[in-house]
Amino acid sequence: MGNLIDFFENIKISSFCNVISAIGVFDGIHNGHREIIRRARIQAEKEGGKVLALSFLPHPRQILTPDNPPQLLLPPDERVRLLKEAGADFCAFINFTKQAAQMSAEEFLQKLTEESRCRISGICVGSNWRFGQGGKGNRELLEKFCREHNWSFNAVDELTFENKIISATAIRHAIAAGELDCAEKMCGRKAALYGKVEKGFQIASQKLAAPTANLAVSYGVLPPDGVYGGQVKLDGEIYPAAVNIGVAPTFGNGLRRVEVHLIGFAGSLYGREICVELLAFLRKERFFSSPEELKKQIAADIEAIMQNHCLQNS
């Protein structure tokens, strides 16, 4: 079935001993995930070793429940960046295929031992993490395996926020419900949308003098329809942005889309991959009787966004 593990970078770590493997899906890199990496970091420093973060690609639910896959919060490269920011020295992806899903927990651990390209001396996971065929691998089995191999083992209890377990699923639900502050508290950063800029209808630039980037969202969860204040990091600059999510009832064709107006940006974004951070909800979408009325509202939206952006970055 090929290699179980693909390293994200062409790195040589075979000479490193005492590698602590932090394992999890790690979609969203929320506060619970960062706690797992932090605990792995503590153990690695005790042993004079390194931290290897092992994630999964694709998300297991994309294979196990292909008719109902999750909307992922982060692209793989951003997952790697945030894992390293959290304290991982190296990152790799476990290839989650149909064949991998059928492996027993014991087979999975044996493959992990054989293909990690380093000498593992410990494992750190969330206390409720399940693995292997049918999710039969659990904390007790993993602890037994580590004991038999003379590895350290850390099971990190789940963190909570407002009596809710912090998870990628909880964050998705919060964003979809428009609870951006709640999602931010669980995730440790603003909700964001990732995708490629595609050709739109060019109505905003022709009739409203406010050109927008039509974003085909690949990662991130859409909040309820409306206008949001946001920001886009582009070529080392941060641009405040007006983000319209919905059907654009004044000029739209009834299709839901995401349009981003970068305030102060001049140039083409077509074909570029961008990340849009959502800072605050401004107002609901509504129909305007004329382009002039909508232009006035857009000017008011931009003014509110600029004031909010200054507060966010003060």
Side-chain angles (χ1 to χ4, degrees):
M1 70 174 208
N3 290 338
L4 179 67
I5 301 173
D6 278 343
F7 279 81
F8 191 76
E9 304 162 295
N10 184 21
I11 54 177
K12 296 180 180 179
I13 63 173
S14 58
S15 60
F16 292 128
C17 298
N18 304 328
V19 169
I20 306 299
S21 291
I23 311 175
V25 177
F26 295 137
D27 183 33
I29 318 296
H30 53 63
N31 290 337
H33 295 149
R34 278 191 286 274
E35 180 63 14
I36 292 173
I37 301 298
R38 188 186 74 84
R39 292 277 291 275
R41 177 91 260 153
I42 291 172
Q43 187 64 33
E45 290 176 355
K46 285 181 182 178
E47 301 180 14
K50 303 287 184 179
V51 174
L52 169 64
L54 283 174
S55 186
F56 289 79
L57 196 65
H59 191 291
R61 279 172 51 195
Q62 290 178 303
I63 300 298
L64 298 173
T65 57
D67 294 333
N68 186 33
Q71 178 61 33
L72 300 185
L73 296 169
L74 294 173
D77 57 345
E78 184 68 358
R79 218 187 313 175
V80 168
R81 187 187 74 80
L82 290 169
L83 283 167
K84 288 191 170 183
E85 185 180 274
D89 295 294
F90 311 108
C91 297
F93 288 106
I94 293 170
N95 296 319
F96 199 84
T97 61
K98 290 182 179 179
Q99 292 82 1
Q102 294 169 359
M103 292 172 62
S104 70
E106 291 80 5
E107 288 175 318
F108 173 83
L109 291 173
Q110 187 59 41
K111 271 278 193 181
L112 177 66
T113 304
E114 294 171 353
E115 295 189 16
S116 61
R117 287 173 51 185
C118 57
R119 195 169 81 191
I120 295 175
S121 65
I123 288 179
C124 186
V125 297
S127 60
N128 290 325
W129 185 58
R130 297 281 181 153
F131 63 100
Q133 187 179 32
K136 293 180 180 178
N138 56 19
R139 172 178 180 167
E140 288 72 29
L141 188 150
L142 191 52
E143 189 169 14
K144 179 176 179 289
F145 182 89
C146 288
R147 188 167 56 249
E148 291 172 350
H149 286 73
N150 199 29
W151 294 355
S152 63
F153 176 70
N154 277 283
V156 180
D157 289 337
E158 294 168 317
L159 300 184
T160 61
F161 173 72
E162 294 183 347
N163 298 319
K164 296 179 182 178
I165 292 174
I166 296 176
S167 68
T169 298
I171 291 167
R172 292 186 192 101
H173 288 165
I175 297 172
E179 299 169 357
L180 297 184
D181 288 343
C182 177
E184 181 182 355
K185 294 282 177 37
M186 291 191 286
C187 212
R189 64 185 179 283
K190 298 290 185 181
L193 302 173
Y194 301 80
K196 181 180 286 188
V197 176
E198 297 182 338
K199 286 277 187 180
F201 299 110
Q202 298 184 317
I203 294 173
S205 58
Q206 294 174 1
K207 296 186 177 182
L208 303 175
T212 60
N214 187 47
L215 185 67
V217 176
S218 302
Y219 296 89
V221 173
L222 294 183
D225 290 355
V227 177
Y228 294 80
Q231 65 180 19
V232 175
K233 297 175 184 177
L234 193 67
D235 299 330
E237 299 288 336
I238 298 178
Y239 294 92
V243 185
N244 190 90
I245 299 172
V247 298
T250 304
F251 294 110
N253 62 357
L255 296 177
R256 193 183 192 206
R257 60 186 187 268
V258 178
E259 297 175 296
V260 186
H261 171 61
L262 276 66
I263 301 168
F265 175 82
S268 175
L269 291 173
Y270 292 132
R272 295 192 64 169
E273 297 278 350
I274 65 172
C275 167
V276 182
E277 293 183 331
L278 301 174
L279 303 182
F281 174 79
L282 289 186
R283 62 175 176 84
K284 293 182 179 180
E285 253 197 334
R286 67 182 182 90
F287 175 81
F288 291 88
S289 59
S290 68
E292 289 72 24
E293 186 182 356
L294 178 52
K295 285 174 71 172
K296 289 180 182 179
Q297 182 60 61
I298 290 173
D301 292 340
I302 289 174
E303 183 178 356
I305 288 166
M306 290 302 296
Q307 291 177 353
N308 184 269
H309 193 264
C310 289
L311 292 175
Q312 292 280 347
N313 293 277
S314 60

